[in-house]
Amino acid sequence: MAFDFAPLAPAGAPPPAARWTGSARFNFTGGNNDADAVPLDGLMAAAQAVLAREGRSLSHYGLASGPQGYRPLREFLAAKLARGAGIACTADDILIVSGSLQALDLANGALLARGDTVICEQDNYQGTLTRYARLGVKPVAIPLDAHGLRIDALEAALADLKRQGIRPKFIYTIPTVQNPTGTILPEDRRAALLKLADAYGVPVVEDDCYADLIWSGQRPPALYAMSKSEDVIHIGSFSKSIAPALRVGFIVAPWSIMSRMLALKTDAGSGALEQMVLAEYCRDHFATHVPQLRVALRKKLDTLMEALNEQFGTAAEFAAPEGGIFLRVKLPDQVDTLTLYQKALAAGVAINPGPEWSTDKAHAKSRMRLCFASPSHEQIRDGIAILADICRKEFGVPERSANVSRTRD
Ligand SMILES: Cc1ncc(COP(=O)(O)O)c(C=O)c1O
């Protein structure tokens, strides 16, 4: 008989994971990217060049660059962040991590204890919300509008917490192409957020992994760049600009907190080959690759919006995001997207139901998030047609789709 590990699991361990059974045929979930846009030729040439030149440094943990990651990659990032995000930093202010998920774990690990409070956006990245739940941390959620986090609500929440004698550990925000709403926090709101953070003595965790994917190529300055009091931890990633499976992200932070996060990164460094190949590729090609990727993504967004208009008509409400890889869609109130998710999955269409991406389950009930980056144009059109059909059968909406009037079966 197989050994029973279950009784040995420590209290608080997460429930066992389900086995992976493959991806849905029409996959609108997750943060996957456009397969055709992965710069394969450039990455192959970079791998060849960097390994031929300095591959023997793989014999040493950290590639003789120390625990913060491959130095040429950190140097590339310092220059890129100065140009795009307005961040003045050096390679020494940057820690390379295994995707921005590890960055979240390190920031959480350095700052949070069970029972703590954090402030975050109401609609939020599922990976962040599940982390807070697992850590026993209370998220105080701030609603968003068309321009991101509402500063009036943030001010009210900070004042309210202060009255209760609670000092939140940090404000976690995704200010630049928010996940899942796609909003971009304008510069004046960024300034107001930082002013409040300063006034209440609360630091900021800035999760900025979509910042390269704004259609116009123009992003507001990072909170890290605007802060005058060294109270921002800035998190970025190559997942959205190059490829998520590489698992390379980074943190820019003042040494006072960087040193604490570094002490928690006990994996002897993130994958070195990925860092070397990225540094080699990005030095000459990042600036041309990203605009091409943006054009490809923008076209897919258009296809998705057209398909939704055609299949759902007025039943699907959405605002075109200014960048990123997701579209947030509001369906009529009677639609429960958790049920829609189950039914659609059985028909080979995977969506992200709103309640998994929000602290306010009722508000999110009839909302869904669709990733348009990874399905092909054809899959987008076919998948949305199937989704509309299932939605109509389950919830009676859309009444008409693809210009065909239908009644509920
Ligand atoms: C807001 C946000 N943060 C972090 C991540 C994790 O990204 P990665 O670990 O691939 O860098 C994602 C992925 O979708 C995300 O949307």
Side-chain angles (χ1 to χ4, degrees):
M1 207 179 65
F3 184 79
D4 183 10
F5 287 93
L8 305 180
R19 264 197 206 282
W20 188 66
T21 53
S23 291
R25 197 160 147 233
F26 303 97
N27 188 4
F28 296 95
T29 64
N32 300 311
N33 219 319
D34 184 345
D36 292 336
V38 177
L40 276 194
D41 290 345
L43 291 176
M44 285 191 288
Q48 173 78 37
V50 75
L51 282 176
R53 197 179 63 236
E54 47 191 283
R56 293 195 188 285
S57 65
L58 284 164
S59 60
H60 281 65
Y61 287 101
L63 302 162
S65 273
Q68 283 177 240
Y70 184 52
R71 193 158 189 102
L73 185 60
R74 288 187 279 134
E75 279 163 359
F76 163 77
L77 281 169
K80 168 192 162 346
L81 289 167
R83 272 194 313 273
I87 290 178
C89 70
T90 71
D92 293 329
D93 304 313
I94 298 175
L95 170 63
I96 304 292
V97 291
S98 304
S100 43
L101 282 171
Q102 187 178 46
L104 297 181
D105 285 334
L106 295 179
N108 291 346
L111 292 168
L112 299 180
R114 192 159 283 276
D116 276 346
T117 295
V118 295
I119 293 188
C120 66
E121 285 136 4
Q122 177 186 286
D123 299 303
N124 215 314
Y125 173 47
Q126 186 190 30
T128 294
L129 296 179
T130 51
R131 276 170 168 70
Y132 294 153
R134 166 110 201 270
L135 291 168
V137 165
K138 183 174 176 243
V140 170
I142 311 297
L144 300 117
D145 63 19
H147 303 288
L149 187 85
R150 270 182 41 205
I151 300 298
D152 59 330
L154 174 65
E155 184 162 20
L158 282 164
D160 187 47
L161 287 169
K162 189 170 183 184
R163 265 193 300 279
Q164 296 175 56
I166 298 171
R167 183 170 171 189
K169 279 289 177 73
F170 53 73
I171 300 167
Y172 169 81
T173 177
I174 312 165
T176 320
V177 192
Q178 207 263 351
N179 184 358
T181 60
T183 51
I184 299 176
L185 197 72
E187 193 170 341
D188 57 339
R189 283 203 194 183
R190 289 175 190 240
L193 183 155
L194 288 169
K195 205 168 155 202
L196 284 171
D198 208 22
Y200 284 87
V202 181
V204 178
V205 176
E206 173 177 41
D207 190 349
D208 222 28
C209 63
Y210 298 101
D212 292 314
L213 301 185
I214 299 180
W215 312 137
S216 69
Q218 299 296 315
R219 54 152 304 157
L223 291 164
Y224 184 96
M226 294 174 70
S227 167
K228 293 181 178 56
S229 41
E230 300 206 349
D231 57 352
V232 179
I233 298 172
H234 179 89
I235 294 173
S237 178
F238 286 96
S239 287
K240 314 302 168 181
S241 55
I242 306 284
L246 292 172
R247 309 309 303 133
V248 181
F250 58 91
I251 303 176
V252 190
W255 181 246
S256 55
I257 181 66
M258 174 75 87
S259 53
R260 292 176 182 275
M261 292 188 284
L262 190 54
L264 287 169
K265 185 164 161 44
T266 53
D267 59 2
S270 295
L273 197 51
E274 292 83 342
Q275 297 183 54
M276 293 168 87
V277 174
L278 273 176
E280 190 75 12
Y281 172 78
C282 289
R283 192 189 57 216
D284 295 335
H285 303 296
F286 190 86
T288 46
H289 162 70
V290 170
Q292 287 167 13
L293 171 63
R294 285 198 293 254
V295 169
L297 293 176
R298 178 69 240 226
K299 283 189 185 147
K300 285 193 169 180
L301 170 62
D302 285 341
T303 299
L304 176 60
M305 293 192 300
E306 274 163 34
L308 285 166
N309 284 332
E310 192 177 312
Q311 301 295 339
F312 281 83
T314 53
E317 293 170 34
F318 49 83
E322 287 172 57
I325 56 176
F326 305 115
L327 183 68
R328 185 106 185 296
V329 181
K330 166 81 176 74
L331 294 171
D333 288 345
Q334 73 262 37
V335 178
D336 177 345
T337 53
L338 283 168
T339 305
L340 181 63
Y341 159 73
Q342 296 287 355
K343 301 282 175 187
L345 195 59
V349 182
I351 59 163
N352 283 127
E356 291 178 359
W357 301 78
S358 184
T359 59
D360 184 338
K361 308 296 176 204
H363 164 83
K365 180 187 143 226
S366 56
R367 292 175 159 84
M368 63 178 170
R369 193 196 72 163
L370 300 174
C371 172
F372 51 81
S374 79
S376 66
H377 289 269
E378 196 184 359
Q379 284 170 331
I380 292 175
R381 281 188 285 268
D382 293 351
I384 294 302
I386 297 170
L387 188 66
D389 217 36
I390 290 167
C391 193
R392 182 180 52 78
K393 285 194 182 116
E394 267 318 298
F395 300 103
V397 285
E399 282 172 22
R400 292 174 64 88
S401 57
N403 292 326
V404 181
S405 180
R406 288 162 171 158
T407 49
R408 196 167 185 172
D409 312 86

